[in-house]
Amino acid sequence: AFGLGLYGGGGDGSEGGGCNGTEGPAAAGPDQLEGPGSIENDSIHLKRRVGLISGVALIVGTMIGSGIFVSPSGLLLRTGSIGMSFVIWMACGLLSLLGALSYAELGTMNTSSGAEYAYFMDAFGAPPAFLFSWASTLVLKPSQMAIICLSFGKYAVEAFVTQCEPPEIVVKMVALLAIVVILYVNCYSVNLATSVQNVFTAAKLVAVLIVIIGGAYKISEGNTQHLRQPFKNTQYSIGNIATAFYTGLWAYDGWNNLNYVTEEIKNPSRNLPRSIVIGIPLVTVCYALINISYLTVMSPMEMQTSEAVAVTFGNRLLGVMAWLMPLSVTISTFGSANGTLFAAGRLCFAASREGHLLDILSYVHIRRYTPAPGLIFHSIIAGAMVLYGTIDSLIDFFSFTAWIFYGGSMVALIVMRHTKPNYPRPYKVPIIIPYMVLLISIYLIIGPIIDKPTIEYLYAALFILGGMIFYVPFVHYKLRVPFMDGITVFLQMLFEVAPTSNMFE
Ligand code: ARG
């Protein structure tokens, strides 16, 4: 039960107050993924310590991150009007709730950690499950990390540049620096990483509260001039609306987070759906209030051009305390990035233990017990994305890929209602819900392509399918490349890492 020793810290973190860090599958070994409900007689036991409160905290803590501080401008740009933006913000909340309820059925049916991976395995077999871990280690996790770090850079730099737009290259350098620091923290120790997480989650709530209370104060003063004529200038193009959804949905991403740790939830069939029904509407209400707050101090026009809305908000409202805003947002985003890398490390680790990725990525540092190679690998990809992408392009790239898999999970649910009709389903979602989410995900995937076929979508699609090129020889036929072992040994010496079995058995 080595995974527990290494990653137990993640569970602690989640108790402490909703850290993103626990979102990855907790070193799910093959035995955990065999079939639904295998947990009870499983040799590997994760402690069930996530109750209702920590479940809610875990959802809220992951969902609130960078998005609400960077997306409002982009969303407004894409919809043209504050009214339409607001409708989309709320629709994103609803969609996340419906998606999460469907995930609750999947998660209580198959309680092994690993979420999509486990459901695809059950419903469709190994190749789609492989494509999921392939895409999430190579695209989803690194792009999340890159987006959050770029947002961090934006806010950190914006705090110092008041007059002009912050130079892009500086923002990127700061984002890269953040990646390096977070990588260091995560390679240094698991405990350090989870402590960072808890402290930083608190900062996030401070930022949210400042904006909401500030906005309420402004409204009480009668500052509602920007809220009149909400639908003026609305743009109704199908593709614009779909990409506006991408921007909004980024802020809500993480709604399926609890499914990655179902093994650690106490009484999951009750607490999983309840945490979802409390957590997601809570975030939706916060986002609604924050959006209104922003508009009490700036016009829609100013919001569109603001590089960092929360900073503009702070400058207009907080006077000498204006520094509080960029500070709490940078802390919040730093924390989210930390949690994302932490989770990415676990995911990478779990996937390579399944034989789905290079062996070296599942190795652990010999003294620090951190999955350093996986972390370094993720950080390199995230760094490249920071250099070559922008927040908006990365959000589109991420959301497109993510919704392919969220839609896939809906198909998995529907398929299993037919192929495994008698399986115990402690929580059964009304079947109309997954159908609705599936339809919307198809729209979200196809809408932007039809409207504006950019090459990124093609890359993303080819990339996911390209996974098969590796799957067939290396995973299915277990082909070994002759010089690979030499490289692995070399990297092992370089990073001082070893396979976990050597250390713990
Ligand atoms: N919603 C978060 C934000 O606005 C991003 C969450 C990324 N997803 C995740 N599973 N960590 O920054």
Side-chain angles (χ1 to χ4, degrees), residues 176-318:
L176 285 182
L177 188 67
I179 295 184
V180 172
V181 173
I182 292 166
L183 175 63
Y184 181 78
V185 166
N186 278 272
C187 287
Y188 188 78
S189 101
V190 173
N191 278 340
L192 181 63
T194 53
S195 320
V196 163
Q197 197 57 37
N198 293 338
V199 174
F200 288 52
T201 302
K204 186 172 336 202
L205 298 179
V206 171
V208 167
L209 280 181
I210 298 180
V211 179
I212 294 181
I213 295 172
Y217 169 73
K218 277 287 174 190
I219 293 224
S220 73
E221 281 190 332
N223 285 295
T224 51
Q225 67 278 22
H226 303 310
L227 300 172
R228 297 185 196 126
Q229 291 188 308
F231 287 95
K232 211 172 103 190
N233 301 331
T234 302
Q235 295 182 11
Y236 290 100
S237 109
I238 299 275
N240 262 349
I241 303 240
T243 50
F245 262 102
Y246 280 180
T247 311
L249 285 167
W250 163 252
Y252 287 93
D253 198 67
W255 48 261
N256 59 347
N257 200 29
L258 220 42
N259 279 59
Y260 289 97
V261 291
T262 11
E263 271 170 40
E264 287 158 89
I265 305 178
K266 292 181 205 148
N267 193 357
S269 51
R270 212 189 56 160
N271 281 334
L272 181 61
R274 283 198 185 174
S275 308
I276 288 170
V277 170
I278 298 173
I280 297 176
L282 197 69
V283 173
T284 312
V285 170
C286 282
Y287 286 2
L289 295 178
I290 293 177
N291 270 294
I292 297 174
S293 290
Y294 287 150
L295 288 166
T296 59
V297 299
M298 64 191 103
S299 68
M301 198 54 209
E302 287 170 313
M303 189 155 154
Q304 277 182 22
T305 49
S306 168
E307 273 296 317
V309 264
V311 171
T312 312
F313 181 85
N315 289 342
R316 301 265 164 97
L317 192 75
L318 299 177

Side-chain angles (χ1 to χ4, degrees), residues 95-110:
L95 178 59
S96 311
L97 180 65
L98 299 181
L101 285 175
S102 311
Y103 266 63
E105 170 170 331
L106 291 164
T108 48
M109 204 181 147
N110 179 346

Side-chain angles (χ1 to χ4, degrees), residues 365-407:
H365 193 274
I366 51 175
R367 285 184 306 277
R368 308 225 148 265
Y369 301 149
T370 49
L375 296 173
I376 295 173
F377 174 74
H378 270 104
S379 302
I380 293 175
I381 305 180
M385 289 177 168
V386 161
L387 283 181
Y388 293 105
T390 61
I391 293 188
D392 288 323
S393 67
L394 286 171
I395 286 181
D396 291 350
F397 185 64
F398 166 81
S399 302
F400 175 77
T401 318
W403 279 89
I404 292 179
F405 290 107
Y406 296 152

Side-chain angles (χ1 to χ4, degrees), residues 142-193:
S143 57
Q144 282 174 352
M145 175 88 181
I147 298 167
I148 301 175
C149 286
L150 279 169
S151 313
F152 167 87
K154 222 172 185 177
Y155 272 84
V157 174
E158 185 77 18
F160 297 100
V161 209
T162 39
Q163 296 311 325
C164 52
E165 229 173 67
E168 199 184 320
I169 179 76
V170 180
V171 173
K172 291 194 176 217
M173 288 301 135
V174 173
L176 285 182
L177 188 67
I179 295 184
V180 172
V181 173
I182 292 166
L183 175 63
Y184 181 78
V185 166
N186 278 272
C187 287
Y188 188 78
S189 101
V190 173
N191 278 340
L192 181 63

Side-chain angles (χ1 to χ4, degrees), residues 23 62-63 65-67 141 144 148 250-254 340:
E23 60 185 321
T62 316
M63 287 174 72
S66 60
K141 284 287 152 195
Q144 282 174 352
I148 301 175
W250 163 252
Y252 287 93
D253 198 67
T340 302

